[in-house]
Amino acid sequence: MDIVRQMFGNYCLNVALISWLSAQVLKTIFTFIATKKLNLERMVGAGGMPSAHSALVCSLTVAIARTVGVSSPEFALAFLMACVVMYDAMGVRRSAGEQAKVLNKIIFTWEKSQDAPDEDEDEMFKKDLKESLGHTPLEVLGGALLGILVAMLVSLT
């Protein structure tokens, strides 16, 4: 039980998890507002506003800065990891999502041309490639700001 108590007494870990959870909850709420449908996949899924990945790594970076200082090797590692994660979210993962959209449209068009049984377009896309993988720069910025805010609001003690 001591390890559990130590783990949940870890400020850096707690801040990162709170930031991730906050981003996922906000993402679910924003999706509900936009679509008028509760999509619980948004609680764990990638993509969308705000970026939970960015919130997590930015909150962790700020938490490390607050606990061991910005001149520490831990801060340097967290900062560089945050840069890589956010760059990847806007780059490779976003590109993969955009490619999935194009492929899904090609598949949909091909299936329609083959006299496939009429299906709702939304239902067809659910069977195909996942499109929500990466983030726009605004989604990454939103996640980063959320993570920084959470790390600043959560007490060090």
Side-chain angles (χ1 to χ4, degrees):
M1 281 310 221
D2 192 44
I3 192 164
V4 172
R5 191 179 2 247
Q6 287 177 354
M7 201 167 88
F8 287 107
N10 184 324
Y11 167 75
C12 294
L13 179 62
N14 290 341
V15 162
L17 293 176
I18 291 167
S19 295
W20 175 84
L21 181 62
S22 299
Q24 293 300 113
V25 168
L26 285 171
K27 191 183 304 188
T28 303
I29 292 168
F30 293 158
T31 301
F32 176 75
I33 291 169
T35 65
K36 306 292 187 255
K37 294 178 187 175
L38 181 61
N39 182 357
L40 292 178
E41 183 273 337
R42 301 312 302 140
M43 283 298 295
V44 292
M49 174 64 143
S51 165
H53 291 88
S54 299
L56 185 144
V57 294
C58 285
S59 66
L60 180 61
T61 302
V62 171
I64 288 172
R66 291 184 74 192
T67 56
V68 295
V70 295
S71 62
S72 68
E74 295 91 344
F75 174 79
L77 180 62
F79 178 80
L80 293 174
M81 181 185 72
C83 291
V84 168
V85 166
M86 291 186 293
Y87 179 80
D88 180 64
M90 290 185 295
V92 175
R93 288 191 307 117
R94 184 169 178 214
S95 292
E98 293 299 317
Q99 291 172 9
K101 284 180 188 176
V102 172
L103 288 171
N104 284 337
K105 287 181 192 247
I106 291 169
I107 292 166
F108 177 76
T109 304
W110 180 81
E111 286 179 350
K112 281 296 191 187
S113 72
Q114 299 299 310
D115 291 328
D118 284 337
E119 270 188 81
D120 181 27
E121 184 174 334
D122 288 337
E123 288 301 314
M124 285 187 79
F125 282 118
K126 287 180 184 174
K127 294 189 285 187
D128 298 326
L129 300 171
K130 184 162 177 51
E131 297 176 3
S132 183
L133 297 171
H135 295 282
T136 66
L138 184 62
E139 292 167 345
V140 169
L141 177 63
L145 293 175
L146 174 64
I148 292 167
L149 179 67
V150 168
M152 297 306 292
L153 292 176
V154 174
S155 173
L156 279 165
T157 57

